[in-house]
Amino acid sequence: MALWALVSAVGLAVDDRVLVGAPIWAKPFKFFVSFAAYGLTLAWMLAQTTWGRRTGWWAGNVVVVTSLVEMVIITGQVIRGKRSHFNAETPFDTSLYTVMGLTVVVLWAAALVIAVLLLRTRLADRATAWAIRGGVLIALAGAAVGFLMARPSAEQRAAGDLDTADVIGAHSVGVPDGGPSMPLTGWSTTGGDLRIPHFVGMHALQLIPLFLIALVLLAPRIARLRDAELRLRLVRVVTAGYAGLVALTTWQALRGQPLVHPDAPTLMAAGALLATVAAGVWAALRTTPAPDPAPAEPASDSKEFTV
């Protein structure tokens, strides 16, 4: 995935074709980078399992194979100058999109198996266990948002003749795909976009464990963070807040509302979420006493804080 991300970057530089309002190589580039991060993180999480390791090995390889099939089709369609997702223009395009749909379902099921293994694995550090389990469960929910995109949009249903339509499904809500969009991400600026909660949810897999790693790295400098209970409380608050963010962005997208133009109810919900997270952080800090200063140690010794 990392190698082909570089190839896609070259494609962005030398191929000026545009598809559905975006550079034609932008989609495979983003998918390759995302799958690389996803695969690395799952590999690290599988290394933490102590139960069902052989099952985890098989599930991990299923993720690899289905990811590769997905990316071969996406890249092949780019070479042909065709869209990969939602394409029902010809029987061949329809067949490719059907295969993609099946591989996504199998990939999601394999990730679910890995999540079950992680839920059953006993980890010595409770904050680490919470970060891993919370990250993988929210990532599963974020991935499931992708299934909503495969449904015919309201406009497509209203037009009828779905059996003969060239495009079935959309990531935008309330507006056609390929309209005005944000730079880099390509998310719609005129309507809802289901790619936002899909992206935010799936990357909980990396961001929540990274938050814990940041706490651990700061512990030598900030005495209170040496308290394992405090780290656990903070990870719980951030996990709950992250789940709320995925729910909020999904709700906003399904109402056909662009991320950059929230209405009053969205702003109120975002404010309530932010206030709840802030209150949770304050409560975690308030209820956890500061530890005594660590005793001085010989210069030759070192203290490690590991996740």
Side-chain angles (χ1 to χ4, degrees):
M1 296 296 175
L3 174 63
W4 278 97
L6 295 176
V7 174
S8 298
V10 173
L12 281 169
V14 302
D15 191 341
D16 59 0
R17 289 180 298 166
V18 174
L19 183 66
V20 197
I24 198 167
W25 283 97
K27 182 174 185 175
F29 175 77
K30 290 187 285 188
F31 269 66
F32 279 126
V33 171
S34 180
F35 269 128
Y38 188 75
L40 283 170
T41 311
L42 275 186
W44 171 71
M45 289 184 172
L46 278 170
Q48 314 304 313
T49 57
T50 58
W51 180 86
R53 293 183 68 89
R54 184 168 181 80
T55 301
W57 184 88
W58 279 106
N61 279 281
V62 169
V63 169
V64 170
V65 172
T66 52
S67 300
L68 287 172
V69 171
E70 183 90 354
M71 292 313 303
V72 166
I73 294 175
I74 289 175
T75 306
Q77 288 292 75
V78 165
I79 293 171
R80 296 179 63 227
K82 302 287 186 179
R83 64 187 298 168
S84 49
H85 288 77
F86 321 128
N87 191 348
E89 186 176 353
T90 68
F92 179 69
D93 293 318
T94 302
S95 298
L96 289 179
Y97 182 46
T98 300
V99 172
M100 289 177 66
L102 292 173
T103 59
V104 168
V105 171
V106 175
L107 190 156
W108 191 90
L112 177 61
V113 170
I114 294 172
V116 171
L117 296 179
L118 291 168
L119 288 172
R120 296 199 58 173
T121 294
R122 292 186 178 182
L123 298 174
D125 184 72
R126 295 169 64 200
T128 301
W130 189 276
I132 289 176
R133 293 165 182 170
V136 74
L137 290 175
I138 294 174
L140 279 171
V145 173
F147 297 135
L148 298 176
M149 304 182 203
R151 304 179 306 170
S153 67
E155 293 77 14
Q156 291 166 355
R157 291 194 299 269
D161 298 325
L162 291 177
D163 292 336
T164 58
D166 291 340
V167 177
I168 301 177
H171 52 71
S172 297
V173 179
V175 294
D177 287 351
S181 61
M182 298 170 59
L184 297 180
T185 63
W187 297 335
S188 176
T189 57
T190 57
D193 200 321
L194 290 167
R195 292 176 298 179
I196 299 171
H198 183 60
F199 173 88
V200 173
M202 288 196 65
H203 287 288
L205 199 71
Q206 294 89 34
L207 293 177
I208 295 176
L210 282 174
F211 172 74
L212 175 58
I213 291 172
L215 295 181
V216 171
L217 293 176
L218 289 171
R221 296 185 179 184
I222 302 175
R224 299 195 69 182
L225 293 181
R226 296 171 191 160
D227 186 344
E229 279 298 316
L230 174 58
R231 294 198 299 268
L232 174 61
R233 290 174 187 270
L234 290 175
V235 168
R236 284 175 172 172
V237 170
V238 167
T239 302
Y242 202 106
L245 179 62
V246 174
L248 176 62
T249 53
T250 303
W251 178 58
Q252 183 181 19
L254 288 174
R255 290 187 296 130
Q257 185 180 116
L259 179 70
V260 293
H261 299 297
D263 61 9
T266 300
L267 288 174
M268 291 176 61
L273 177 62
L274 183 60
T276 301
V277 172
V281 171
W282 178 80
L285 294 172
R286 183 172 178 269
T287 56
T288 304
D292 295 332
E297 296 182 1
S300 60
D301 293 341
S302 63
K303 180 176 284 187
E304 295 181 356
F305 293 87
T306 58
V307 175

